[in-house]
Amino acid sequence: MSFILKGAPYPISKNSLGYLFSQEGISTLKSDLIQLLLTNPTERVMLPNYGTGLRKLLFKPNDEYVRMEAENLIKKAITLWEPRIVVSQIEISNGYNDSTRTQNESELNDNDHVLKILIKFFDPSNISYVEVLVLELPTER
């Protein structure tokens, strides 16, 4: 027995008649994953432990510690709240990866203050292709 995964897109929106849009399949999984990543614990009333807490990293320096903390928060939340997917890779990066320059504040640009999160995952019931989700969060300047 197979089932069709249906749900609301993120962000939730309405069509011209005022009805909520819906989506099916892997798009629903991506929307649910984005909601999980952007939700802080205690924001959901009936699920106070739901979320990652990634937004608490917004005002921390964009360094190796923040990348490791972000990866740990993501792994823990996906393991707990999203059993419908299998994560094959999580990459956390920022503008500091360019080793050809020094890290002087005067040489940094706006991209250096963005924490880029790339998650490759697949639906275990349909492993024919790997989906990619990219999320960019600003961090402290």
Side-chain angles (χ1 to χ4, degrees):
M1 179 174 116
S2 69
F3 64 95
I4 297 175
L5 195 60
K6 291 186 178 185
Y10 183 83
I12 294 175
S13 55
K14 295 180 182 179
N15 64 18
S16 60
L17 298 175
Y19 296 109
L20 294 176
F21 281 115
S22 65
Q23 59 189 6
E24 295 181 355
I26 202 73
S27 297
T28 300
L29 288 174
K30 279 186 173 182
S31 291
D32 292 347
L33 190 54
I34 290 171
Q35 289 179 48
L36 175 64
L37 295 176
L38 296 179
T39 300
N40 280 328
T42 71
E43 285 183 340
R44 299 270 303 257
V45 176
M46 300 302 284
L47 294 172
N49 296 323
Y50 181 85
T52 59
L54 283 176
R55 291 192 321 219
K56 72 180 180 182
L57 304 178
L58 293 179
F59 298 105
K60 291 189 177 184
N62 198 354
D63 58 10
E64 184 64 29
Y65 172 76
V66 167
R67 289 192 300 273
M68 288 178 4
E69 187 176 357
E71 186 172 348
N72 290 335
L73 289 170
I74 291 167
K75 285 179 181 177
K76 181 180 173 186
I78 290 175
T79 301
L80 182 63
W81 294 105
E82 206 44 84
R84 299 175 296 172
I85 66 170
V86 174
V87 174
S88 60
Q89 182 179 1
I90 297 176
E91 284 182 24
I92 313 284
S93 61
N94 62 17
Y96 292 136
N97 291 336
D98 184 0
S99 61
T100 62
R101 64 182 177 152
T102 61
Q103 301 305 322
N104 295 331
E105 185 66 31
S106 61
E107 297 178 8
L108 300 178
N109 61 41
D110 287 340
N111 291 333
D112 293 316
H113 303 287
V114 172
L115 191 65
K116 184 175 181 180
I117 300 166
L118 180 132
I119 302 172
K120 292 183 179 180
F121 69 95
F122 58 90
D123 178 356
S125 65
N126 181 11
I127 59 172
S128 59
Y129 58 94
V130 174
E131 290 293 326
V132 177
L133 176 72
V134 177
L135 182 65
E136 294 181 350
L137 297 174
T139 58
E140 184 179 80
R141 295 195 117 199

